[in-house]
Amino acid sequence: KNEVEQSPQNLTAQEGEFITINCSYSVGISALHWLQQHPGGGIVSLFMLSSGKKKHGRLIATINIQEKHSSLHITASHPRDSAVYICAVDQGAQKLVFGQGTRLTINP
Amino acid sequence: DVKVTQSSRYLVKRTGEKVFLECVQDMDHENMFWYRQDPGLGLRLIYFSYDVKMKEKGDIPEGYSVSREKKERFSLILESASTNQTSMYLCASTGREPAKNIQYFGAGTRLSVL
């Protein structure tokens, strides 16, 4: 069993829909990261959080430490949000353990 | 803006060749990391470094070595490339303070070993 599990693995939605991507982990962590990877490979950090909730534009990330679960939400989704979203946990010393990613496709 | 630059976007090498992948960051970050990314396996840590001349093995160091002679540069070396090292390689860097724990990634190098 992977230490970091994401669901769903693939998600296709229509423009404007509310999107939720889930991440569950089985180890103790100091922080959890959400990353975005567009076709071509470059990875961008979206959020780093250790408790509660963070918001940036149309993106919201939440974490429940007790339940070892995090969610990434996208409101009013747009085709440019199409990407792979990756959850990663920091077990300390900034060594990240990554989920396998969720491939999101937003159709116009 | 932090910039992490990887020397090549695409590389094609022959089995047995020695391969150097270079990574340079311009934010005076202490920590640098090399990952490989494979379909179905996600990103896996090969090596990391917390300071000049320091290196630590990650989860899959076999077949790789690294060099960090200067703070801004972290090199990944494939001593004798093999076909199972065909992959996307990503470099990342972070600062030491907790507030700087966000990892900044390079654009990646897609390596094919024939």
Side-chain angles (χ1 to χ4, degrees), chain B residues 92-108:
Chain B
S93 73
T94 71
R96 185 167 290 152
E97 296 83 13
K100 296 185 178 179
N101 278 1
I102 292 174
Q103 295 214 353
Y104 294 89
F105 286 82

Side-chain angles (χ1 to χ4, degrees), chain A residues 33 35 37 40-43 45 48 86 90 93-96 98-100, chain B residues 9 31 33 35 37 40 43 48 50 94-96 98 101-103 105 107:
Chain A
H33 298 250
L35 309 165
Q37 185 173 29
I43 295 177
S45 179
M48 180 180 70
I86 302 170
D90 184 347
Q94 300 182 41
K95 286 175 61 178
L96 298 186
F98 296 82
Q100 293 191 12
Chain B
R9 291 299 306 274
N31 308 322
F33 306 83
Y35 301 97
Q37 184 179 31
L43 283 99
F48 60 103
Y50 289 143
T94 71
R96 185 167 290 152
N101 278 1
I102 292 174
Q103 295 214 353
F105 286 82

Side-chain angles (χ1 to χ4, degrees), chain B residues 58-98:
Chain B
D59 299 318
I60 50 164
E62 297 78 19
Y64 303 95
S65 62
V66 290
S67 172
R68 188 139 182 229
E69 296 296 317
K70 293 185 178 181
K71 191 175 185 180
E72 67 271 18
R73 186 181 296 270
F74 192 35
S75 302
L76 180 69
I77 303 154
L78 287 65
E79 296 290 343
S80 177
S82 64
T83 54
N84 63 13
Q85 292 178 310
T86 291
S87 186
M88 169 71 96
Y89 291 87
L90 289 142
C91 173
S93 73
T94 71
R96 185 167 290 152
E97 296 83 13

